[in-house]
């Protein structure tokens, strides 16, 4: 990753939480700790952030405290080819006339491009998904009531009645913070509350998770593996993760990310 791209990711990350750690930034950028520490030192000298013990913080943190999730603009740069391949495989499960729920996220957002060739009823709490489908497709789009969280581009409500209980779907498509033996994990209570409501409105839960999500953990459990019908991931999934899903009788679909990378280069 080029230095300028690393700096952009670092500066975006420090806006989402009080302090971002060096290991967090290594994971986001794929760079070594030594490289990240040099980047932080350079940005500190440029007065673009403040260097602190073990990491960095924003010079002027935002006054509005959002949810505990990475900004949409930052997340969409990570594992981009894998997300495109996974999203294509997800849309292959959809037939014209289906009613589906798409939860907000950068992997689920990649579904919008192949969805332009479909005619579905789509309920989503994602502002960019709704906007794209309205402009570029003939799908019917429905949104819940609530507040728009700008950093994550999602609509969330703390109230039970947000309109979602009036929509019934064949499938719900969603991403996650992590996926492990206990089930699907998220990072914020408000996200868990909203997503549990949506899960209850669908027959099948389809999880879109690139292979790195099997190594991520969070303190908040969204639902057990038994509630998941299908997991779509990329071809770098480890054998132990595949065995975990098989033992839980979860259907596994592996998308070929390398083919997506080749397609992107040819375009």
């Amino acid at each position: 990753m080029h230095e300028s791209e690393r700096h952009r990711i670092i500066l975006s990350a420090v806006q989402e939480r009080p302090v971002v750690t060096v290991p967090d930034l290594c994971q986001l950028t794929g760079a070594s700790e030594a490289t990240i520490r040099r980047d932080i030192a350079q940005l500190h000298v440029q007065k673009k952030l403040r260097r602190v013990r073990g990491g960095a913080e924003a010079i002027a943190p935002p006054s509005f405290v959002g949810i505990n999730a990475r900004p949409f603009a930052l997340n969409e740069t990570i594992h981009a080819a894998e997300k495109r391949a996974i999203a294509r495989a997800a849309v292959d499960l959809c037939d014209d006339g289906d009613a589906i729920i798409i939860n907000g996220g950068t992997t689920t957002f990649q579904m919008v491009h192949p969805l332009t060739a479909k005619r579905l009823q789509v309920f989503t709490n994602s502002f960019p998904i709704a906007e794209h489908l309205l402009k570029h497709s003939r799908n019917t789009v429905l949104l819940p009531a609530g507040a728009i969280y700008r950093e994550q581009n999602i609509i969330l409500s703390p109230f039970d009645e947000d309109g979602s209980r009036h929509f019934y779907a064949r499938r719900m498509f969603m991403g996650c913070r992590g996926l492990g033996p206990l089930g699907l994990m998220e990072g914020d209570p408000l996200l868990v509350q909203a997503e549990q409501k949506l899960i209850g409105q669908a027959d099948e839960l389809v999880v879109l998770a690139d292979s790195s999500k099997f190594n991520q953990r969070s303190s908040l459990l969204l639902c057990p593996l038994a509630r998941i019908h299908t997991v779509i991931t990329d071809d770098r999934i480890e054998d132990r993760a595949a065995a975990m899903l098989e033992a839980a009788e979860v259907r596994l679909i592996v998308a070929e990310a390398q083919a997506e990378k080749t397609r992107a280069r040819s375009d």
Side-chain angles (χ1 to χ4, degrees), residues 88-104:
R88 287 181 186 276
V91 175
D92 285 343
L93 298 177
C94 301
D95 296 319
D96 282 348
D98 281 353
I100 64 171
I101 297 171
I102 307 180
N103 193 58

Side-chain angles (χ1 to χ4, degrees), residues 7 22 32 38 44 60 91 99 110 112 117 127 154 161 183 192 196 198 208 216 222 225 228 253 256:
H7 286 188
V22 170
S32 67
R38 286 197 299 270
H44 176 83
V91 175
Q110 292 301 322
V112 300
F127 195 75
I154 57 175
E161 188 48 60
V192 171
Q196 284 178 339
L198 293 175
L208 283 58
Q216 304 297 319
L222 175 59
L225 283 180
I228 302 172
I253 297 175
E256 298 294 330

